[in-house]
């Protein structure tokens, strides 16, 4: 198998890892692609980014009140 971020995966196709990647594990290598996009163009002084591993995306929320979402763009 292959090791990614401290966890072992079997040879073959891995639909989704714990860290939101899709991978293929060969005997000699492992190749992965992310299942998420990165938020950009948000107010970094007022807002913070939190990874949501259940949805494999990010929440951009206010630092002082995480119940309030901030506007942002997505880089693909």
């Amino acid at each position: 198998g292959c090791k990614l971020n401290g966890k072992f995966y079997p040879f073959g196709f891995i639909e989704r890892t714990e860290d939101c990647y899709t991978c293929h594990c060969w005997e000699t290598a492992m190749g992965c692609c992310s299942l998420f996009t990165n938020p950009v163009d948000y107010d970094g002084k007022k807002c913070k980014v939190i990874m949501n591993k259940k949805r494999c995306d990010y929440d951009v929320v206010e630092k002082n009140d995480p119940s309030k979402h901030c506007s942002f763009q997505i880089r693909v």
Side-chain angles (χ1 to χ4, degrees):
C2 297
K3 187 176 180 181
L4 178 68
N5 295 331
K7 182 168 181 177
F8 283 98
Y9 293 93
F11 289 123
F13 179 70
I14 300 125
E15 187 173 342
R16 180 180 163 177
T17 68
E18 289 181 349
D19 297 322
C20 296
Y21 289 90
T22 185
C23 301
H24 198 97
C25 173
W26 296 278
E27 288 187 30
T28 58
M30 184 175 197
C32 299
C33 294
S34 66
L35 294 171
F36 52 89
T37 56
N38 293 318
V40 295
D41 295 332
Y42 62 90
D43 184 346
K45 292 181 182 178
K46 179 181 175 185
C47 305
K48 65 181 177 178
V49 177
I50 300 172
M51 175 66 160
N52 185 319
K53 289 188 178 184
K54 287 185 179 184
R55 294 190 325 254
C56 287
D57 67 3
Y58 290 99
D59 293 318
V60 182
V61 297
E62 290 187 9
K63 291 177 181 178
N64 293 333
D65 185 355
S67 68
K68 294 182 181 177
H69 289 268
C70 299
S71 62
F72 65 95
Q73 300 294 318
I74 297 174
R75 177 177 293 150
V76 290

Coordinates of all heavy atoms in Angstrom, one line a residue:
G1 N 0.8 -1.2 0.0 CA 0.0 0.0 0.0 C 0.9 1.3 0.0 O 2.1 1.2 -0.2
C2 N 0.2 2.4 0.2 CA 0.9 3.7 0.2 C 0.5 4.4 1.5 O -0.5 4.2 2.1 CB 0.4 4.5 -1.0 SG 0.7 3.8 -2.6
K3 N 1.4 5.3 1.8 CA 1.3 6.1 3.1 C 1.1 7.6 2.7 O 1.9 8.1 1.9 CB 2.5 5.9 4.0 CG 2.3 6.6 5.3 CD 3.6 6.3 6.2 CE 3.5 6.9 7.5 NZ 4.6 6.6 8.3
L4 N 0.0 8.2 3.2 CA -0.2 9.6 3.0 C -0.6 10.3 4.3 O -1.6 9.8 4.9 CB -1.3 9.8 2.0 CG -1.8 11.2 1.7 CD1 -0.6 12.0 0.9 CD2 -3.0 11.3 0.8
N5 N 0.2 11.3 4.7 CA -0.1 12.0 6.0 C -0.2 11.0 7.2 O -1.1 11.2 8.0 CB -1.3 12.9 5.8 CG -1.2 14.0 4.9 OD1 -0.1 14.5 4.6 ND2 -2.2 14.4 4.2
G6 N 0.6 10.0 7.2 CA 0.7 9.1 8.3 C -0.3 8.0 8.3 O -0.4 7.1 9.2
K7 N -1.2 7.9 7.2 CA -2.2 6.8 7.1 C -1.9 5.9 5.9 O -1.5 6.4 4.8 CB -3.6 7.4 7.0 CG -4.6 6.3 6.9 CD -6.0 6.8 7.1 CE -6.9 5.6 7.0 NZ -8.3 5.9 7.3
F8 N -2.0 4.6 6.1 CA -1.8 3.7 5.0 C -3.1 3.5 4.2 O -4.2 3.4 4.7 CB -1.3 2.4 5.5 CG 0.2 2.4 5.9 CD1 0.5 2.6 7.2 CD2 1.2 2.3 4.9 CE1 1.9 2.7 7.5 CE2 2.5 2.3 5.3 CZ 2.9 2.5 6.6
Y9 N -2.9 3.4 2.8 CA -4.0 3.1 1.9 C -3.6 1.9 1.0 O -2.5 1.7 0.7 CB -4.3 4.4 1.0 CG -4.8 5.5 1.8 CD1 -4.0 6.5 2.4 CD2 -6.2 5.6 2.1 CE1 -4.5 7.6 3.1 CE2 -6.7 6.7 2.8 CZ -5.8 7.7 3.3 OH -6.3 8.7 4.1
P10 N -4.6 1.2 0.6 CA -4.3 0.0 -0.2 C -4.0 0.4 -1.7 O -4.2 1.5 -2.1 CB -5.7 -0.8 -0.2 CG -6.7 0.3 -0.1 CD -6.1 1.3 0.8
F11 N -3.3 -0.5 -2.4 CA -3.0 -0.3 -3.8 C -4.3 -0.1 -4.6 O -5.3 -0.7 -4.2 CB -2.2 -1.5 -4.4 CG -0.8 -1.6 -3.9 CD1 -0.4 -2.8 -3.3 CD2 0.1 -0.6 -4.0 CE1 0.9 -2.9 -2.8 CE2 1.4 -0.7 -3.6 CZ 1.8 -1.9 -3.0
G12 N -4.2 0.7 -5.6 CA -5.4 1.0 -6.4 C -6.0 2.4 -6.2 O -5.3 3.3 -5.7
F13 N -7.2 2.5 -6.7 CA -7.9 3.8 -6.6 C -8.4 4.1 -5.2 O -9.1 3.2 -4.6 CB -9.0 3.9 -7.7 CG -9.8 5.2 -7.7 CD1 -9.2 6.3 -8.1 CD2 -11.1 5.2 -7.2 CE1 -9.9 7.5 -8.1 CE2 -11.8 6.4 -7.2 CZ -11.2 7.6 -7.7
I14 N -8.2 5.3 -4.7 CA -8.8 5.7 -3.4 C -9.7 6.9 -3.7 O -9.3 8.0 -4.1 CB -7.7 6.1 -2.4 CG1 -6.7 5.0 -2.2 CG2 -8.3 6.6 -1.1 CD1 -5.3 5.3 -2.4
E15 N -11.0 6.7 -3.6 CA -12.0 7.7 -3.9 C -11.9 9.0 -3.1 O -12.0 10.1 -3.6 CB -13.4 7.1 -3.8 CG -14.5 8.0 -4.3 CD -15.8 7.4 -4.3 OE1 -15.9 6.1 -4.3 OE2 -16.8 8.1 -4.4
R16 N -11.6 8.8 -1.8 CA -11.5 10.0 -0.9 C -10.7 9.6 0.3 O -11.0 8.7 1.0 CB -12.9 10.4 -0.5 CG -12.9 11.6 0.4 CD -14.3 12.1 0.7 NE -14.2 13.0 1.9 CZ -15.2 13.5 2.4 NH1 -16.4 13.4 1.9 NH2 -15.1 14.3 3.5
T17 N -9.7 10.4 0.6 CA -8.9 10.2 1.8 C -9.5 11.0 2.9 O -10.4 11.9 2.7 CB -7.4 10.6 1.6 OG1 -7.4 12.0 1.5 CG2 -6.8 9.9 0.4
E18 N -9.0 10.8 4.1 CA -9.4 11.6 5.3 C -9.2 13.1 5.1 O -9.9 13.9 5.6 CB -8.6 11.2 6.6 CG -8.9 9.9 7.1 CD -8.1 9.6 8.4 OE1 -7.1 10.4 8.6 OE2 -8.4 8.6 9.0
D19 N -8.2 13.5 4.3 CA -7.8 14.9 4.1 C -8.4 15.4 2.8 O -7.8 16.4 2.3 CB -6.3 15.0 4.1 CG -5.7 14.6 5.5 OD1 -6.4 14.9 6.5 OD2 -4.6 14.0 5.5
C20 N -9.4 14.8 2.2 CA -10.1 15.3 1.0 C -9.2 15.3 -0.2 O -9.2 16.3 -1.0 CB -10.7 16.7 1.3 SG -11.9 16.7 2.6
Y21 N -8.6 14.2 -0.5 CA -7.9 13.9 -1.8 C -8.4 12.7 -2.4 O -8.9 11.8 -1.7 CB -6.4 13.8 -1.5 CG -5.7 15.0 -1.1 CD1 -5.6 15.4 0.2 CD2 -5.2 15.9 -2.1 CE1 -4.9 16.6 0.6 CE2 -4.5 17.1 -1.7 CZ -4.4 17.4 -0.4 OH -3.8 18.6 0.0
T22 N -8.4 12.6 -3.7 CA -8.6 11.4 -4.4 C -7.3 10.9 -5.0 O -6.5 11.8 -5.4 CB -9.7 11.6 -5.6 OG1 -9.9 10.3 -6.2 CG2 -9.2 12.5 -6.6
C23 N -6.9 9.7 -4.8 CA -5.6 9.2 -5.1 C -5.6 7.9 -5.9 O -6.6 7.2 -5.9 CB -4.8 9.0 -3.8 SG -4.6 10.4 -2.8
H24 N -4.4 7.6 -6.4 CA -4.2 6.3 -7.0 C -2.8 5.8 -6.4 O -1.9 6.5 -6.4 CB -4.1 6.3 -8.5 CG -4.3 4.9 -9.1 ND1 -5.5 4.5 -9.6 CD2 -3.4 3.9 -9.2 CE1 -5.3 3.2 -10.0 NE2 -4.1 2.9 -9.8
C25 N -2.9 4.6 -5.9 CA -1.7 4.1 -5.2 C -1.1 2.9 -6.1 O -1.8 1.9 -6.3 CB -2.1 3.5 -3.8 SG -0.8 2.6 -3.0
W26 N 0.1 3.1 -6.5 CA 0.8 2.1 -7.3 C 1.9 1.5 -6.4 O 2.2 2.1 -5.3 CB 1.4 2.6 -8.6 CG 0.4 3.2 -9.5 CD1 -0.3 2.5 -10.5 CD2 0.1 4.5 -9.7 NE1 -1.1 3.3 -11.2 CE2 -0.9 4.6 -10.8 CE3 0.4 5.7 -9.1 CZ2 -1.4 5.8 -11.2 CZ3 -0.1 6.9 -9.6 CH2 -1.1 6.9 -10.6
E27 N 2.5 0.4 -6.8 CA 3.6 -0.1 -6.0 C 4.8 0.8 -5.9 O 5.6 0.8 -5.0 CB 4.1 -1.5 -6.7 CG 3.1 -2.6 -6.5 CD 3.6 -3.9 -6.9 OE1 4.8 -4.2 -6.9 OE2 2.7 -4.7 -7.3
T28 N 5.0 1.7 -6.9 CA 6.2 2.5 -7.0 C 5.9 4.0 -6.7 O 6.8 4.8 -6.5 CB 6.9 2.4 -8.3 OG1 6.0 2.8 -9.3 CG2 7.4 1.0 -8.6
A29 N 4.6 4.4 -6.6 CA 4.3 5.8 -6.4 C 2.9 6.0 -6.0 O 2.1 5.0 -6.0 CB 4.6 6.6 -7.7
M30 N 2.5 7.2 -5.6 CA 1.2 7.6 -5.3 C 0.9 9.0 -5.9 O 1.7 9.9 -5.8 CB 1.0 7.6 -3.8 CG -0.4 7.9 -3.3 SD -0.5 7.8 -1.5 CE -2.3 7.7 -1.3
G31 N -0.2 9.1 -6.6 CA -0.6 10.4 -7.2 C -2.0 10.8 -6.6 O -2.9 10.0 -6.5
C32 N -2.1 12.1 -6.2 CA -3.3 12.6 -5.6 C -3.7 13.9 -6.2 O -2.9 14.7 -6.6 CB -3.1 12.7 -4.1 SG -2.7 11.2 -3.2
C33 N -5.0 14.2 -6.1 CA -5.6 15.5 -6.5 C -6.6 15.9 -5.4 O -7.2 15.0 -4.8 CB -6.4 15.4 -7.8 SG -5.4 15.0 -9.2
S34 N -6.6 17.2 -5.1 CA -7.5 17.7 -4.1 C -8.9 17.7 -4.5 O -9.2 17.8 -5.7 CB -7.1 19.0 -3.6 OG -7.3 20.0 -4.6
L35 N -9.8 17.5 -3.6 CA -11.3 17.5 -3.9 C -11.9 18.9 -3.5 O -13.1 19.1 -3.4 CB -12.0 16.4 -3.1 CG -11.7 15.0 -3.5 CD1 -12.3 14.0 -2.5 CD2 -12.2 14.7 -4.9
F36 N -11.0 19.8 -3.1 CA -11.5 21.1 -2.7 C -10.8 22.3 -3.4 O -9.8 22.1 -4.1 CB -11.2 21.3 -1.2 CG -9.8 21.0 -0.8 CD1 -8.8 22.1 -0.8 CD2 -9.4 19.8 -0.4 CE1 -7.5 21.8 -0.5 CE2 -8.0 19.5 -0.1 CZ -7.1 20.5 -0.1
T37 N -11.4 23.4 -3.4 CA -10.8 24.6 -4.0 C -10.4 25.6 -2.8 O -11.0 25.5 -1.7 CB -11.9 25.3 -4.9 OG1 -13.0 25.6 -4.1 CG2 -12.2 24.4 -6.1
N38 N -9.5 26.5 -3.1 CA -9.0 27.4 -2.1 C -9.8 28.7 -2.2 O -9.8 29.3 -3.3 CB -7.5 27.6 -2.3 CG -6.7 26.4 -2.0 OD1 -7.0 25.7 -1.1 ND2 -5.7 26.1 -2.9
P39 N -10.3 29.2 -1.1 CA -10.9 30.5 -1.0 C -9.8 31.6 -1.1 O -8.8 31.5 -0.6 CB -11.6 30.6 0.3 CG -11.0 29.6 1.1 CD -10.4 28.6 0.3
V40 N -10.1 32.7 -1.9 CA -9.2 33.8 -2.0 C -10.1 35.1 -2.0 O -11.3 35.1 -2.0 CB -8.5 33.8 -3.4 CG1 -7.5 32.6 -3.4 CG2 -9.4 33.8 -4.6
D41 N -9.4 36.2 -2.0 CA -10.1 37.5 -2.0 C -11.1 37.7 -0.9 O -12.3 38.1 -1.1 CB -10.8 37.8 -3.3 CG -9.8 37.9 -4.5 OD1 -8.6 38.3 -4.2 OD2 -10.1 37.6 -5.6
Y42 N -10.7 37.4 0.3 CA -11.6 37.7 1.5 C -10.8 38.6 2.5 O -9.6 38.7 2.3 CB -12.0 36.4 2.2 CG -10.8 35.5 2.8 CD1 -10.4 35.7 4.1 CD2 -10.2 34.6 2.0 CE1 -9.3 35.0 4.5 CE2 -9.1 33.8 2.5 CZ -8.7 34.1 3.7 OH -7.6 33.4 4.2
D43 N -11.5 39.2 3.4 CA -10.9 40.1 4.3 C -10.1 39.3 5.4 O -10.7 38.8 6.4 CB -12.0 41.0 5.0 CG -11.4 42.0 5.9 OD1 -10.2 42.0 6.3 OD2 -12.2 42.9 6.3
G44 N -8.8 39.2 5.2 CA -8.0 38.4 6.1 C -7.8 39.0 7.5 O -7.5 38.3 8.5
K45 N -8.1 40.3 7.7 CA -8.1 40.9 9.0 C -9.3 40.6 9.8 O -9.3 40.4 11.0 CB -7.9 42.4 8.9 CG -6.6 42.8 8.4 CD -6.5 44.3 8.3 CE -5.1 44.8 7.7 NZ -5.0 46.2 7.6
K46 N -10.5 40.5 9.1 CA -11.7 40.2 9.8 C -12.2 38.8 9.8 O -12.9 38.3 10.6 CB -12.8 41.1 9.0 CG -14.2 40.9 9.5 CD -15.2 41.8 8.7 CE -16.6 41.6 9.1 NZ -17.5 42.3 8.3
C47 N -11.7 38.0 8.8 CA -12.2 36.6 8.6 C -11.1 35.6 8.6 O -9.9 35.9 8.5 CB -12.9 36.6 7.2 SG -14.2 37.8 7.0
K48 N -11.5 34.4 8.8 CA -10.6 33.2 8.9 C -11.2 32.1 8.1 O -12.4 32.0 7.9 CB -10.3 32.8 10.3 CG -11.5 32.2 11.0 CD -11.1 31.8 12.5 CE -12.3 31.3 13.2 NZ -11.9 30.9 14.6
V49 N -10.3 31.2 7.6 CA -10.7 30.0 6.8 C -10.7 28.8 7.7 O -9.7 28.5 8.4 CB -9.8 29.9 5.6 CG1 -10.1 28.7 4.8 CG2 -9.8 31.1 4.7
I50 N -11.7 28.0 7.6 CA -11.8 26.7 8.4 C -12.1 25.6 7.4 O -13.1 25.7 6.6 CB -12.9 26.8 9.4 CG1 -12.6 27.9 10.4 CG2 -13.0 25.5 10.2 CD1 -13.8 28.2 11.4
M51 N -11.3 24.6 7.4 CA -11.5 23.4 6.5 C -12.7 22.6 7.1 O -12.7 22.2 8.2 CB -10.3 22.5 6.4 CG -10.4 21.3 5.7 SD -10.8 21.6 3.9 CE -10.3 20.1 3.2
N52 N -13.6 22.2 6.2 CA -14.8 21.4 6.5 C -14.5 20.0 5.9 O -14.7 19.9 4.7 CB -16.1 22.0 6.1 CG -17.3 21.2 6.5 OD1 -17.3 19.9 6.5 ND2 -18.3 21.9 6.9
K53 N -14.0 19.1 6.6 CA -13.6 17.8 6.0 C -14.8 16.9 5.7 O -14.7 16.0 4.9 CB -12.6 17.0 7.0 CG -11.3 17.7 7.0 CD -10.3 16.8 7.8 CE -8.9 17.5 7.8 NZ -7.9 16.6 8.5
K54 N -15.9 17.2 6.2 CA -17.1 16.4 5.9 C -17.6 16.8 4.4 O -18.0 15.9 3.7 CB -18.3 16.7 6.8 CG -18.1 16.0 8.2 CD -19.4 16.2 9.0 CE -19.2 15.5 10.4 NZ -20.3 15.6 11.2
R55 N -17.5 18.0 4.1 CA -17.9 18.5 2.8 C -16.7 18.6 1.8 O -16.9 18.9 0.6 CB -18.6 19.8 2.9 CG -19.9 19.8 3.6 CD -20.7 21.2 3.4 NE -19.8 22.3 3.4 CZ -19.7 23.2 4.4 NH1 -20.3 23.0 5.5 NH2 -18.9 24.2 4.3
C56 N -15.5 18.5 2.3 CA -14.3 18.8 1.5 C -14.3 20.1 0.9 O -14.0 20.3 -0.3 CB -14.1 17.7 0.5 SG -13.6 16.1 1.2
D57 N -14.6 21.1 1.7 CA -14.5 22.5 1.3 C -14.2 23.4 2.5 O -14.0 22.9 3.6 CB -15.7 23.0 0.5 CG -16.9 23.1 1.3 OD1 -16.9 22.9 2.5 OD2 -18.0 23.4 0.7
Y58 N -14.2 24.7 2.3 CA -13.8 25.6 3.3 C -15.0 26.5 3.7 O -15.9 26.8 2.9 CB -12.7 26.6 2.9 CG -11.4 25.9 2.7 CD1 -10.9 25.5 1.5 CD2 -10.6 25.7 3.8 CE1 -9.7 24.9 1.3 CE2 -9.3 25.1 3.7 CZ -8.9 24.7 2.4 OH -7.7 24.1 2.3
D59 N -15.0 26.9 5.0 CA -16.0 27.9 5.5 C -15.1 29.1 5.7 O -14.0 29.0 6.3 CB -16.6 27.5 6.8 CG -17.6 26.3 6.6 OD1 -18.3 26.3 5.5 OD2 -17.6 25.4 7.4
V60 N -15.5 30.3 5.3 CA -14.8 31.5 5.6 C -15.8 32.3 6.5 O -16.9 32.7 6.1 CB -14.5 32.3 4.3 CG1 -13.8 33.6 4.6 CG2 -13.7 31.5 3.3
V61 N -15.3 32.5 7.7 CA -16.2 33.1 8.8 C -15.4 34.2 9.5 O -14.2 34.4 9.4 CB -16.6 32.0 9.8 CG1 -17.4 30.9 9.2 CG2 -15.4 31.4 10.5
E62 N -16.2 35.1 10.2 CA -15.6 36.1 10.9 C -14.9 35.6 12.1 O -15.3 34.7 12.8 CB -16.7 37.1 11.4 CG -17.4 37.9 10.3 CD -18.3 39.0 10.8 OE1 -18.4 39.2 12.0 OE2 -19.0 39.6 9.9
K63 N -13.7 36.2 12.4 CA -12.9 35.7 13.5 C -13.6 35.9 14.8 O -13.5 35.1 15.7 CB -11.5 36.5 13.5 CG -10.6 36.1 12.4 CD -9.4 37.0 12.4 CE -8.4 36.6 11.3 NZ -7.2 37.5 11.2
N64 N -14.3 37.1 15.0 CA -14.9 37.4 16.2 C -16.3 36.7 16.4 O -16.8 36.6 17.5 CB -15.1 38.9 16.4 CG -13.8 39.6 16.5 OD1 -12.8 39.0 17.0 ND2 -13.7 40.9 16.1
D65 N -16.9 36.3 15.3 CA -18.2 35.6 15.4 C -18.3 34.6 14.3 O -18.8 34.8 13.2 CB -19.3 36.6 15.2 CG -20.7 36.0 15.4 OD1 -20.8 34.8 15.6 OD2 -21.7 36.8 15.4
P66 N -17.8 33.3 14.5 CA -17.8 32.3 13.5 C -19.1 31.9 13.0 O -19.2 31.1 12.0 CB -17.1 31.1 14.2 CG -16.3 31.7 15.3 CD -17.1 32.9 15.7
S67 N -20.2 32.3 13.6 CA -21.5 32.0 13.0 C -21.8 32.9 11.8 O -22.8 32.6 11.1 CB -22.6 32.2 14.1 OG -22.8 33.6 14.4
K68 N -21.0 34.0 11.6 CA -21.2 34.9 10.4 C -20.2 34.5 9.3 O -19.0 34.5 9.6 CB -21.1 36.3 10.9 CG -22.1 36.8 11.8 CD -21.9 38.2 12.2 CE -23.0 38.7 13.2 NZ -22.8 40.1 13.6
H69 N -20.7 34.3 8.1 CA -19.9 34.0 7.0 C -19.4 35.2 6.3 O -20.1 36.3 6.3 CB -20.7 33.1 6.0 CG -20.9 31.7 6.5 ND1 -20.1 30.7 6.3 CD2 -21.9 31.2 7.3 CE1 -20.5 29.6 6.9 NE2 -21.7 29.9 7.5
C70 N -18.2 35.1 5.7 CA -17.6 36.2 4.9 C -17.7 35.9 3.5 O -17.7 34.8 3.0 CB -16.1 36.4 5.3 SG -15.9 36.8 7.1
S71 N -17.7 37.0 2.7 CA -17.7 36.8 1.2 C -16.3 36.5 0.8 O -15.3 36.9 1.4 CB -18.3 38.0 0.5 OG -17.4 39.1 0.8
F72 N -16.2 35.7 -0.3 CA -14.9 35.3 -0.9 C -15.1 34.8 -2.3 O -16.2 34.5 -2.7 CB -14.2 34.2 0.0 CG -15.0 32.9 0.0 CD1 -14.6 31.8 -0.8 CD2 -16.0 32.7 0.9 CE1 -15.3 30.6 -0.8 CE2 -16.7 31.5 0.9 CZ -16.4 30.5 0.1
Q73 N -13.9 34.6 -3.0 CA -13.9 34.1 -4.3 C -13.2 32.7 -4.2 O -12.6 32.4 -3.2 CB -13.1 35.0 -5.2 CG -13.7 36.4 -5.4 CD -15.0 36.3 -6.1 OE1 -15.3 35.6 -7.1 NE2 -16.0 37.1 -5.6
I74 N -13.4 31.9 -5.2 CA -12.7 30.6 -5.3 C -11.7 30.5 -6.4 O -12.0 31.0 -7.5 CB -13.8 29.5 -5.5 CG1 -14.8 29.4 -4.4 CG2 -13.1 28.1 -5.7 CD1 -15.9 28.5 -4.6
R75 N -10.5 30.0 -6.0 CA -9.5 29.8 -7.0 C -9.5 28.3 -7.5 O -9.5 27.4 -6.6 CB -8.1 30.1 -6.5 CG -7.0 29.8 -7.5 CD -5.6 30.2 -7.0 NE -5.6 31.6 -6.9 CZ -4.8 32.3 -6.0 NH1 -4.1 31.6 -5.1 NH2 -4.8 33.6 -5.9
V76 N -9.7 28.1 -8.8 CA -9.8 26.8 -9.3 C -8.5 26.4 -10.0 O -7.7 27.2 -10.4 CB -11.0 26.6 -10.2 CG1 -12.2 26.6 -9.4 CG2 -11.0 27.6 -11.3

